[in-house]
Amino acid sequence: MLRFCFIFVLLLPGLTHAAEQFTGRVDAVDVDTWDIGGVRVRLHGIDAPELDQICQDSDGSSWPCGAWVTHMVQVQFQGRMTTCVPLDRYRYGRIVARCSVDHEDAAAQIVEQGLAFAYRKYSDAYAGVERVARIGNKGLHKTQIRVPWVHRARKKPKSSQTCLIKGNVSLKGEKIFHAPGQRYYAKTRISAAKGERWFCSAAEARAAGWRAARR
């Protein structure tokens, strides 16, 4: 059950309605993306490896660190009650929120254990916590890892002149592709962890099961 409690009107770009504190059970899609009673939430101020991301140990051996951190967060938080306070809206209209479990900031706990990084591009809220985790050589800090935002940037197609069509998966799971010049093209971001991808032509996208965006 999802319970809402009215708090105040939050005047932030892209968040045009009254902010509400909401409570529900955690369904961890990955480290920083949770479904709370059917509401998709992006945890504020942190960024974690993509599900398919690989890390290297000091001896050079590779291991699936993206899947590991997701598993660790699911073990710790899955099914537990959380209370979230919306702070902003992310792409696709997804809520960005600070969520607490047993009155403790969940994102802070995740960063403290070395399961995610402070996302300084958007907030310095967890920079200090990350510093402590790094000094303590916890979690991801004891392995060789490309930070998530750099990893995502390097996964983009090398030939940006030909592969410009964005294959997006909507919140309802519908596969839609956006071509340059369409209304939502610039706002659309590609996440390989969600099964999204780039295409070099509309024909290629349709053959893969995507339909064209209507606008």
Side-chain angles (χ1 to χ4, degrees):
M1 177 182 292
L2 186 67
R3 292 178 291 184
F4 288 88
C5 176
F6 177 77
I7 303 179
F8 55 88
V9 175
L10 186 62
L11 299 177
L12 286 172
L15 192 62
T16 58
H17 57 76
E20 295 173 325
Q21 175 177 296
F22 57 96
T23 300
R25 294 196 180 277
V26 175
D27 180 7
V29 179
D30 55 32
V31 173
D32 47 33
T33 303
W34 291 5
D35 284 340
I36 312 297
V39 177
R40 180 63 57 91
V41 172
R42 177 72 157 78
L43 295 183
H44 168 72
I46 69 173
D47 197 11
E50 299 293 320
L51 278 169
D52 63 349
Q53 195 164 341
I54 302 298
C55 295
Q56 281 192 334
D57 282 333
S58 56
D59 62 1
S61 59
S62 299
W63 63 288
C65 58
W68 176 74
V69 291
T70 296
H71 172 71
M72 294 298 290
V73 167
Q74 289 172 337
V75 167
Q76 185 171 349
F77 294 102
Q78 191 81 353
R80 298 178 66 183
M81 293 299 296
T82 182
T83 298
C84 300
V85 178
L87 301 177
D88 202 347
R89 280 196 179 273
Y90 193 51
R91 56 179 179 265
Y92 317 121
R94 187 180 306 168
I95 293 172
V96 177
R98 180 177 290 111
C99 297
S100 300
V101 176
D102 289 340
H103 307 291
E104 293 189 20
D105 187 334
Q109 294 179 63
I110 291 169
V111 174
E112 183 180 22
Q113 296 170 48
L115 303 177
F117 300 93
Y119 206 176
R120 292 176 177 81
K121 178 179 178 181
Y122 296 102
S123 173
D124 287 327
Y126 304 107
V129 179
E130 182 193 289
R131 192 175 304 112
V132 173
R134 186 170 62 251
I135 292 172
N137 207 31
K138 294 184 178 180
L140 296 170
H141 299 291
K142 58 185 177 183
T143 189
Q144 297 179 47
I145 179 174
R146 182 178 293 158
V147 289
W149 49 92
V150 172
H151 174 75
R152 290 192 295 269
R154 293 193 176 187
K155 287 180 67 175
K156 291 182 179 179
K158 295 180 180 179
S159 178
S160 59
Q161 294 183 344
T162 55
C163 298
L164 295 175
I165 294 176
K166 299 177 179 181
N168 171 241
V169 179
S170 73
L171 291 177
K172 295 181 179 179
E174 188 176 7
K175 295 180 177 180
I176 304 170
F177 69 83
H178 301 261
Q182 289 192 291
R183 181 173 180 178
Y184 297 107
Y185 180 83
K187 294 182 179 180
T188 300
R189 299 291 182 271
I190 300 301
S191 170
K194 292 173 54 182
E196 297 175 334
R197 52 179 291 194
W198 294 79
F199 294 102
C200 297
S201 69
E204 180 188 357
R206 291 191 179 93
W210 266 257
R211 72 160 176 83
R214 295 189 177 92
R215 291 182 288 178

